[in-house]
Amino acid sequence: MKCIKCNQDNMIIKLGKYGLFAACDNFPTCKNTMKLNKFLYEVLKKDGINIYGWNHECWKCHQKTVVYTYFINKQLKPYMDEHIELDSLGLDSLPPVDDYLKMKYSTINKNYSKTQHSYCTSNNCSHCNALIGNHFIVDDPHDIFYDWLTGDLDKYLVEKIPFEKFNITEENLVGLEHYLTQIF
């Protein structure tokens, strides 16, 4: 996303002494900054949200079922300072996106997870309806792990959903900074 002040360099997510924020990469010439939630809102508004899907073996019936998620952490990689990395930010992270996906894909539901001891939005097996936990889909997608690490996810792209399809506000994006971590 181009800086709206200098229009020369891109805005990137940085970590300062008061936390995360977006700043022009042309600092110190340009000192434009933006709150993190506003920046994320503008990026997603411009880029939409990528939905990924792949075949996953069900732990219960051992049949292949398609699982779906979004990896906003991977979508935002071009906007990150080299010392900042996003932890997993996918299914069950943004309720407006989850609600849309629950309406669109019959295998995405609100389920009770015995391992998390809470309800979460997750995939279900299309054959036996078993819950497919988010750890294997969002946090550590075993089936596509190498591609996930390298960011080579295009072959798993099911659709790019325009931002307007979701009822997301800047306020929905407040608090996502706990998904961001500094890498030393």
mmCIF file with all atom_site columns, all heavy atoms in Angstrom, residues 15-30:
data_model
loop_
_atom_site.group_PDB
_atom_site.id
_atom_site.type_symbol
_atom_site.label_atom_id
_atom_site.label_alt_id
_atom_site.label_comp_id
_atom_site.label_asym_id
_atom_site.label_entity_id
_atom_site.label_seq_id
_atom_site.pdbx_PDB_ins_code
_atom_site.Cartn_x
_atom_site.Cartn_y
_atom_site.Cartn_z
_atom_site.occupancy
_atom_site.B_iso_or_equiv
_atom_site.pdbx_formal_charge
_atom_site.auth_seq_id
_atom_site.auth_comp_id
_atom_site.auth_asym_id
_atom_site.auth_atom_id
_atom_site.pdbx_PDB_model_num
ATOM 1   N N   . LEU A 1 15 ? 7.464  -2.269 14.659 1.00 0.00 ? 15 LEU A N   1
ATOM 2   C CA  . LEU A 1 15 ? 7.320  -2.341 16.106 1.00 0.00 ? 15 LEU A CA  1
ATOM 3   C C   . LEU A 1 15 ? 8.093  -1.193 16.712 1.00 0.00 ? 15 LEU A C   1
ATOM 4   O O   . LEU A 1 15 ? 9.294  -1.052 16.494 1.00 0.00 ? 15 LEU A O   1
ATOM 5   C CB  . LEU A 1 15 ? 7.865  -3.680 16.631 1.00 0.00 ? 15 LEU A CB  1
ATOM 6   C CG  . LEU A 1 15 ? 7.772  -3.905 18.128 1.00 0.00 ? 15 LEU A CG  1
ATOM 7   C CD1 . LEU A 1 15 ? 6.320  -3.935 18.582 1.00 0.00 ? 15 LEU A CD1 1
ATOM 8   C CD2 . LEU A 1 15 ? 8.470  -5.206 18.503 1.00 0.00 ? 15 LEU A CD2 1
ATOM 9   N N   . GLY A 1 16 ? 7.379  -0.339 17.458 1.00 0.00 ? 16 GLY A N   1
ATOM 10  C CA  . GLY A 1 16 ? 8.010  0.780  18.144 1.00 0.00 ? 16 GLY A CA  1
ATOM 11  C C   . GLY A 1 16 ? 7.924  0.595  19.640 1.00 0.00 ? 16 GLY A C   1
ATOM 12  O O   . GLY A 1 16 ? 7.389  -0.403 20.133 1.00 0.00 ? 16 GLY A O   1
ATOM 13  N N   . LYS A 1 17 ? 8.393  1.577  20.369 1.00 0.00 ? 17 LYS A N   1
ATOM 14  C CA  . LYS A 1 17 ? 8.393  1.439  21.829 1.00 0.00 ? 17 LYS A CA  1
ATOM 15  C C   . LYS A 1 17 ? 6.987  1.418  22.422 1.00 0.00 ? 17 LYS A C   1
ATOM 16  O O   . LYS A 1 17 ? 6.798  0.979  23.544 1.00 0.00 ? 17 LYS A O   1
ATOM 17  C CB  . LYS A 1 17 ? 9.261  2.512  22.486 1.00 0.00 ? 17 LYS A CB  1
ATOM 18  C CG  . LYS A 1 17 ? 8.774  3.926  22.363 1.00 0.00 ? 17 LYS A CG  1
ATOM 19  C CD  . LYS A 1 17 ? 9.741  4.859  23.077 1.00 0.00 ? 17 LYS A CD  1
ATOM 20  C CE  . LYS A 1 17 ? 9.246  6.280  23.066 1.00 0.00 ? 17 LYS A CE  1
ATOM 21  N NZ  . LYS A 1 17 ? 10.138 7.172  23.782 1.00 0.00 ? 17 LYS A NZ  1
ATOM 22  N N   . TYR A 1 18 ? 5.987  1.882  21.659 1.00 0.00 ? 18 TYR A N   1
ATOM 23  C CA  . TYR A 1 18 ? 4.602  1.860  22.138 1.00 0.00 ? 18 TYR A CA  1
ATOM 24  C C   . TYR A 1 18 ? 3.783  0.742  21.494 1.00 0.00 ? 18 TYR A C   1
ATOM 25  O O   . TYR A 1 18 ? 2.578  0.686  21.642 1.00 0.00 ? 18 TYR A O   1
ATOM 26  C CB  . TYR A 1 18 ? 3.928  3.213  21.894 1.00 0.00 ? 18 TYR A CB  1
ATOM 27  C CG  . TYR A 1 18 ? 4.608  4.337  22.634 1.00 0.00 ? 18 TYR A CG  1
ATOM 28  C CD1 . TYR A 1 18 ? 5.320  5.315  21.951 1.00 0.00 ? 18 TYR A CD1 1
ATOM 29  C CD2 . TYR A 1 18 ? 4.557  4.398  24.024 1.00 0.00 ? 18 TYR A CD2 1
ATOM 30  C CE1 . TYR A 1 18 ? 5.956  6.337  22.641 1.00 0.00 ? 18 TYR A CE1 1
ATOM 31  C CE2 . TYR A 1 18 ? 5.194  5.418  24.716 1.00 0.00 ? 18 TYR A CE2 1
ATOM 32  C CZ  . TYR A 1 18 ? 5.892  6.383  24.015 1.00 0.00 ? 18 TYR A CZ  1
ATOM 33  O OH  . TYR A 1 18 ? 6.523  7.394  24.704 1.00 0.00 ? 18 TYR A OH  1
ATOM 34  N N   . GLY A 1 19 ? 4.427  -0.149 20.746 1.00 0.00 ? 19 GLY A N   1
ATOM 35  C CA  . GLY A 1 19 ? 3.720  -1.262 20.120 1.00 0.00 ? 19 GLY A CA  1
ATOM 36  C C   . GLY A 1 19 ? 3.796  -1.218 18.607 1.00 0.00 ? 19 GLY A C   1
ATOM 37  O O   . GLY A 1 19 ? 4.632  -0.533 18.025 1.00 0.00 ? 19 GLY A O   1
ATOM 38  N N   . LEU A 1 20 ? 2.886  -1.956 17.988 1.00 0.00 ? 20 LEU A N   1
ATOM 39  C CA  . LEU A 1 20 ? 2.876  -2.081 16.539 1.00 0.00 ? 20 LEU A CA  1
ATOM 40  C C   . LEU A 1 20 ? 2.120  -0.944 15.883 1.00 0.00 ? 20 LEU A C   1
ATOM 41  O O   . LEU A 1 20 ? 1.117  -0.463 16.412 1.00 0.00 ? 20 LEU A O   1
ATOM 42  C CB  . LEU A 1 20 ? 2.238  -3.415 16.155 1.00 0.00 ? 20 LEU A CB  1
ATOM 43  C CG  . LEU A 1 20 ? 3.021  -4.636 16.613 1.00 0.00 ? 20 LEU A CG  1
ATOM 44  C CD1 . LEU A 1 20 ? 2.139  -5.857 16.618 1.00 0.00 ? 20 LEU A CD1 1
ATOM 45  C CD2 . LEU A 1 20 ? 4.237  -4.846 15.738 1.00 0.00 ? 20 LEU A CD2 1
ATOM 46  N N   . PHE A 1 21 ? 2.591  -0.562 14.709 1.00 0.00 ? 21 PHE A N   1
ATOM 47  C CA  . PHE A 1 21 ? 1.953  0.495  13.932 1.00 0.00 ? 21 PHE A CA  1
ATOM 48  C C   . PHE A 1 21 ? 2.414  0.345  12.494 1.00 0.00 ? 21 PHE A C   1
ATOM 49  O O   . PHE A 1 21 ? 3.337  -0.423 12.192 1.00 0.00 ? 21 PHE A O   1
ATOM 50  C CB  . PHE A 1 21 ? 2.315  1.877  14.491 1.00 0.00 ? 21 PHE A CB  1
ATOM 51  C CG  . PHE A 1 21 ? 3.787  2.216  14.366 1.00 0.00 ? 21 PHE A CG  1
ATOM 52  C CD1 . PHE A 1 21 ? 4.241  3.053  13.357 1.00 0.00 ? 21 PHE A CD1 1
ATOM 53  C CD2 . PHE A 1 21 ? 4.719  1.699  15.258 1.00 0.00 ? 21 PHE A CD2 1
ATOM 54  C CE1 . PHE A 1 21 ? 5.593  3.364  13.239 1.00 0.00 ? 21 PHE A CE1 1
ATOM 55  C CE2 . PHE A 1 21 ? 6.071  2.001  15.154 1.00 0.00 ? 21 PHE A CE2 1
ATOM 56  C CZ  . PHE A 1 21 ? 6.514  2.832  14.137 1.00 0.00 ? 21 PHE A CZ  1
ATOM 57  N N   . ALA A 1 22 ? 1.806  1.080  11.580 1.00 0.00 ? 22 ALA A N   1
ATOM 58  C CA  . ALA A 1 22 ? 2.253  1.116  10.189 1.00 0.00 ? 22 ALA A CA  1
ATOM 59  C C   . ALA A 1 22 ? 2.946  2.454  9.964  1.00 0.00 ? 22 ALA A C   1
ATOM 60  O O   . ALA A 1 22 ? 2.529  3.483  10.486 1.00 0.00 ? 22 ALA A O   1
ATOM 61  C CB  . ALA A 1 22 ? 1.072  0.956  9.248  1.00 0.00 ? 22 ALA A CB  1
ATOM 62  N N   . ALA A 1 23 ? 4.017  2.412  9.202  1.00 0.00 ? 23 ALA A N   1
ATOM 63  C CA  . ALA A 1 23 ? 4.779  3.626  8.927  1.00 0.00 ? 23 ALA A CA  1
ATOM 64  C C   . ALA A 1 23 ? 5.292  3.584  7.497  1.00 0.00 ? 23 ALA A C   1
ATOM 65  O O   . ALA A 1 23 ? 5.468  2.512  6.909  1.00 0.00 ? 23 ALA A O   1
ATOM 66  C CB  . ALA A 1 23 ? 5.950  3.746  9.902  1.00 0.00 ? 23 ALA A CB  1
ATOM 67  N N   . CYS A 1 24 ? 5.563  4.745  6.965  1.00 0.00 ? 24 CYS A N   1
ATOM 68  C CA  . CYS A 1 24 ? 6.122  4.842  5.628  1.00 0.00 ? 24 CYS A CA  1
ATOM 69  C C   . CYS A 1 24 ? 7.534  4.264  5.650  1.00 0.00 ? 24 CYS A C   1
ATOM 70  O O   . CYS A 1 24 ? 8.321  4.538  6.556  1.00 0.00 ? 24 CYS A O   1
ATOM 71  C CB  . CYS A 1 24 ? 6.144  6.299  5.174  1.00 0.00 ? 24 CYS A CB  1
ATOM 72  S SG  . CYS A 1 24 ? 6.809  6.495  3.494  1.00 0.00 ? 24 CYS A SG  1
ATOM 73  N N   . ASP A 1 25 ? 7.853  3.488  4.645  1.00 0.00 ? 25 ASP A N   1
ATOM 74  C CA  . ASP A 1 25 ? 9.177  2.884  4.540  1.00 0.00 ? 25 ASP A CA  1
ATOM 75  C C   . ASP A 1 25 ? 10.234 3.921  4.139  1.00 0.00 ? 25 ASP A C   1
ATOM 76  O O   . ASP A 1 25 ? 11.418 3.620  4.116  1.00 0.00 ? 25 ASP A O   1
ATOM 77  C CB  . ASP A 1 25 ? 9.149  1.734  3.534  1.00 0.00 ? 25 ASP A CB  1
ATOM 78  C CG  . ASP A 1 25 ? 10.228 0.706  3.775  1.00 0.00 ? 25 ASP A CG  1
ATOM 79  O OD1 . ASP A 1 25 ? 10.728 0.628  4.909  1.00 0.00 ? 25 ASP A OD1 1
ATOM 80  O OD2 . ASP A 1 25 ? 10.562 -0.028 2.818  1.00 0.00 ? 25 ASP A OD2 1
ATOM 81  N N   . ASN A 1 26 ? 9.787  5.130  3.857  1.00 0.00 ? 26 ASN A N   1
ATOM 82  C CA  . ASN A 1 26 ? 10.684 6.213  3.460  1.00 0.00 ? 26 ASN A CA  1
ATOM 83  C C   . ASN A 1 26 ? 11.110 7.067  4.665  1.00 0.00 ? 26 ASN A C   1
ATOM 84  O O   . ASN A 1 26 ? 11.533 8.196  4.517  1.00 0.00 ? 26 ASN A O   1
ATOM 85  C CB  . ASN A 1 26 ? 9.988  7.090  2.406  1.00 0.00 ? 26 ASN A CB  1
ATOM 86  C CG  . ASN A 1 26 ? 10.939 8.002  1.673  1.00 0.00 ? 26 ASN A CG  1
ATOM 87  O OD1 . ASN A 1 26 ? 12.143 7.795  1.669  1.00 0.00 ? 26 ASN A OD1 1
ATOM 88  N ND2 . ASN A 1 26 ? 10.385 9.022  1.040  1.00 0.00 ? 26 ASN A ND2 1
ATOM 89  N N   . PHE A 1 27 ? 10.956 6.517  5.865  1.00 0.00 ? 27 PHE A N   1
ATOM 90  C CA  . PHE A 1 27 ? 11.385 7.213  7.076  1.00 0.00 ? 27 PHE A CA  1
ATOM 91  C C   . PHE A 1 27 ? 12.914 7.355  7.043  1.00 0.00 ? 27 PHE A C   1
ATOM 92  O O   . PHE A 1 27 ? 13.598 6.450  6.593  1.00 0.00 ? 27 PHE A O   1
ATOM 93  C CB  . PHE A 1 27 ? 10.962 6.395  8.315  1.00 0.00 ? 27 PHE A CB  1
ATOM 94  C CG  . PHE A 1 27 ? 11.348 7.023  9.624  1.00 0.00 ? 27 PHE A CG  1
ATOM 95  C CD1 . PHE A 1 27 ? 10.538 7.979  10.199 1.00 0.00 ? 27 PHE A CD1 1
ATOM 96  C CD2 . PHE A 1 27 ? 12.519 6.660  10.267 1.00 0.00 ? 27 PHE A CD2 1
ATOM 97  C CE1 . PHE A 1 27 ? 10.887 8.554  11.408 1.00 0.00 ? 27 PHE A CE1 1
ATOM 98  C CE2 . PHE A 1 27 ? 12.895 7.225  11.464 1.00 0.00 ? 27 PHE A CE2 1
ATOM 99  C CZ  . PHE A 1 27 ? 12.075 8.186  12.036 1.00 0.00 ? 27 PHE A CZ  1
ATOM 100 N N   . PRO A 1 28 ? 13.524 8.440  7.415  1.00 0.00 ? 28 PRO A N   1
ATOM 101 C CA  . PRO A 1 28 ? 12.982 9.590  8.137  1.00 0.00 ? 28 PRO A CA  1
ATOM 102 C C   . PRO A 1 28 ? 12.494 10.725 7.236  1.00 0.00 ? 28 PRO A C   1
ATOM 103 O O   . PRO A 1 28 ? 11.982 11.714 7.729  1.00 0.00 ? 28 PRO A O   1
ATOM 104 C CB  . PRO A 1 28 ? 14.167 10.045 8.989  1.00 0.00 ? 28 PRO A CB  1
ATOM 105 C CG  . PRO A 1 28 ? 15.356 9.740  8.161  1.00 0.00 ? 28 PRO A CG  1
ATOM 106 C CD  . PRO A 1 28 ? 14.988 8.481  7.398  1.00 0.00 ? 28 PRO A CD  1
ATOM 107 N N   . THR A 1 29 ? 12.628 10.556 5.910  1.00 0.00 ? 29 THR A N   1
ATOM 108 C CA  . THR A 1 29 ? 12.149 11.615 5.015  1.00 0.00 ? 29 THR A CA  1
ATOM 109 C C   . THR A 1 29 ? 10.654 11.827 5.169  1.00 0.00 ? 29 THR A C   1
ATOM 110 O O   . THR A 1 29 ? 10.177 12.956 5.231  1.00 0.00 ? 29 THR A O   1
ATOM 111 C CB  . THR A 1 29 ? 12.490 11.274 3.555  1.00 0.00 ? 29 THR A CB  1
ATOM 112 O OG1 . THR A 1 29 ? 13.900 11.035 3.452  1.00 0.00 ? 29 THR A OG1 1
ATOM 113 C CG2 . THR A 1 29 ? 12.093 12.386 2.616  1.00 0.00 ? 29 THR A CG2 1
ATOM 114 N N   . CYS A 1 30 ? 9.912  10.733 5.227  1.00 0.00 ? 30 CYS A N   1
ATOM 115 C CA  . CYS A 1 30 ? 8.468  10.807 5.434  1.00 0.00 ? 30 CYS A CA  1
ATOM 116 C C   . CYS A 1 30 ? 8.158  10.186 6.785  1.00 0.00 ? 30 CYS A C   1
ATOM 117 O O   . CYS A 1 30 ? 8.575  9.071  7.071  1.00 0.00 ? 30 CYS A O   1
ATOM 118 C CB  . CYS A 1 30 ? 7.732  10.060 4.324  1.00 0.00 ? 30 CYS A CB  1
ATOM 119 S SG  . CYS A 1 30 ? 5.933  10.058 4.525  1.00 0.00 ? 30 CYS A SG  1
#
